[in-house]
Structure formats: C-alpha cells, structure tokens
Amino acid sequence: MHTRTLRSLRRGAAAGALTALLALAGCSSGGGTQAVPKSPQRISDDQAAAVPDDQASPAPEGSSASPKGPVLPDAELTPATGSFTAKEKKYLHGRVPENMDPAAVLQAGQETCQRIERTAAHDKDAAIGAIIAGEVPSAADAIAQLCPKQKPLLDAAETGFTDGTRTKPEPGTYRALTTAEGCTWKAVGAGAKVLASGPGPDGPKKVTAKIPAGTRTFVSSGCYAWLPA
C-alpha cells in the first residue's frame, strides 16, 4: 500500500494533524545497549516524518527498507560501541547495505517504532491508518522485532485497506479513518451500476460505508483508509 493514493486527503486538516503526530518519537529498542551511529548518518525525525503531499519520497538512507544491493553478512553486524540484542540482529539480517553503519539502520527501525507508539498514544486510529497507508516505512518488520507490544495495531491494520479503488471487496460495514471533509465513496456492481454511495454533501464527519454483496469495485476519495466497523 502506498502514499500516492492519499494526496488529496493529506492536503486537508486531518492530514496536518496526523503529520504532527507522526513527527513525535520515543520507543525503546527492546533491551540491550543501544548502538550509536559512528558518523552523521543519523536518521532525523524530519526525515522520518510523513511523505510530502505532491510526491512520494523514497525511504531515507538507513531506513528499515531492505536494500537492493549487496548487504553486510551477519558476522559483520556489529556496532561501534556496545552490542546488538538477538532481536536487533534478527531485524538487521539482510537489511544493512555494504559500507554502512548497521547502527544507523537499526536507528531507523527504532524511529519507526517511536512514530507508531507515540501516534497511538494520541490516536490509535491515526497510528493504524498510517500503517495501512504505508506512511511508516517497513512497519511490519520493525514491530515484529523491535516493538512487539505494538502488534495489535499491526493486526488491526491488516484488516483494513487504503483510500482509492479496491476490487472485489468483502461485503460489510467499514469506517473511514478520517474526519476531514470531502470523503466520498461508492460501491459499484456489474455493468458499472452504483449499488451504494455516500456520504452526501452534508454528510457526517465520521463516514461509514456499507458495501453490499455483489460489489465488484469500491471507490473512495479523501477517506484516507478504511477499517471494518
């Protein structure tokens, strides 16, 4: 799931509030001595913040995304000072590019945990929506190894889907994870027939969509992300 589907919403007030939440940081690395990067490769909180409105930015250097090129073997995954825990080493496996400090990559994963944890402290729906929308790089890997206490958020996110077009959706009732104005949706069946739509121009701030059986395509705009109601 990608941020490109969310441009219109993030120009609204709700996106501004979410970005402010995501800019916060603070989750422990799960024990052991926290490794400190040797050079100015530290991933700043600004770099870890939400993706710009008009363009999906690549993951910052040292992010938790798996590299495409050669990686350091496990035997060389050692910090300049201290040591990595078993979970930290497992997280770093196959993730550190050659000629890069593994502590910088670990720190990026820790910052992913920080963003999820502190966002959830203010608004769990915002944290879940950010995971669904892909606004937190490699959230699943970071949560699994570095902050497993956040797994309930990940489990909830796996039941949702992003704003945009979804084919063959499961029938049921869903709620939009936004209160911004302009969230609209429609359920389209065979022959491009609109089976249901909403909300109206004067609809409620909390939007609920009821997807009927026979829906082939569910299309939404400005709704950020959806969860089963």
Side-chain angles (χ1 to χ4, degrees):
M1 292 176 281
H2 303 284
T3 56
R4 294 185 186 274
T5 60
L6 308 172
R7 297 172 189 169
S8 60
L9 172 67
R10 298 182 60 207
R11 295 189 184 96
L18 176 63
T19 301
L21 288 174
L22 289 174
L24 297 171
C27 172
S28 69
S29 62
T33 303
Q34 182 172 340
V36 179
K38 294 181 291 186
S39 64
Q41 289 175 311
R42 185 181 185 280
I43 306 303
S44 71
D45 201 53
D46 288 339
Q47 286 175 304
V51 178
D53 288 340
D54 298 327
Q55 180 178 341
S57 300
E61 182 181 1
S63 76
S64 56
S66 299
K68 295 181 180 180
V71 298
L72 285 177
D74 289 355
E76 297 182 24
L77 294 176
T78 56
T81 59
S83 61
F84 293 132
T85 67
K87 286 186 176 181
E88 289 170 346
K89 288 181 179 179
K90 189 172 181 180
Y91 174 77
L92 292 171
H93 171 73
R95 194 178 296 274
V96 184
E98 286 186 348
N99 303 316
M100 185 171 183
D101 184 355
V105 177
L106 174 62
Q107 184 173 325
Q110 291 168 338
E111 287 176 352
T112 292
C113 284
Q114 292 166 1
R115 294 166 63 188
I116 294 170
E117 183 181 61
R118 291 205 175 178
T119 301
H122 291 268
D123 186 341
K124 285 188 177 181
D125 276 357
I128 294 169
I131 295 172
I132 293 173
E135 292 194 4
V136 185
S138 299
D141 291 339
I143 289 173
Q145 303 301 331
L146 303 178
C147 51
K149 288 183 179 180
Q150 306 307 319
K151 193 174 184 301
L153 299 177
L154 182 62
D155 292 341
E158 289 175 349
T159 68
F161 53 90
T162 59
D163 191 33
T165 299
R166 184 173 181 82
T167 58
K168 298 181 180 179
E170 287 290 331
T173 302
Y174 297 84
R175 59 188 180 92
L177 298 183
T178 182
T179 56
E181 295 181 2
C183 171
T184 60
W185 61 271
K186 63 181 178 180
V188 182
K193 181 180 179 181
V194 176
L195 305 178
S197 63
D202 299 317
K205 288 186 176 180
K206 293 184 178 180
V207 179
T208 299
K210 294 184 178 180
I211 302 178
T215 298
R216 293 189 175 183
T217 307
F218 179 77
V219 182
S220 66
S221 176
C223 302
Y224 186 44
W226 296 89
L227 276 181

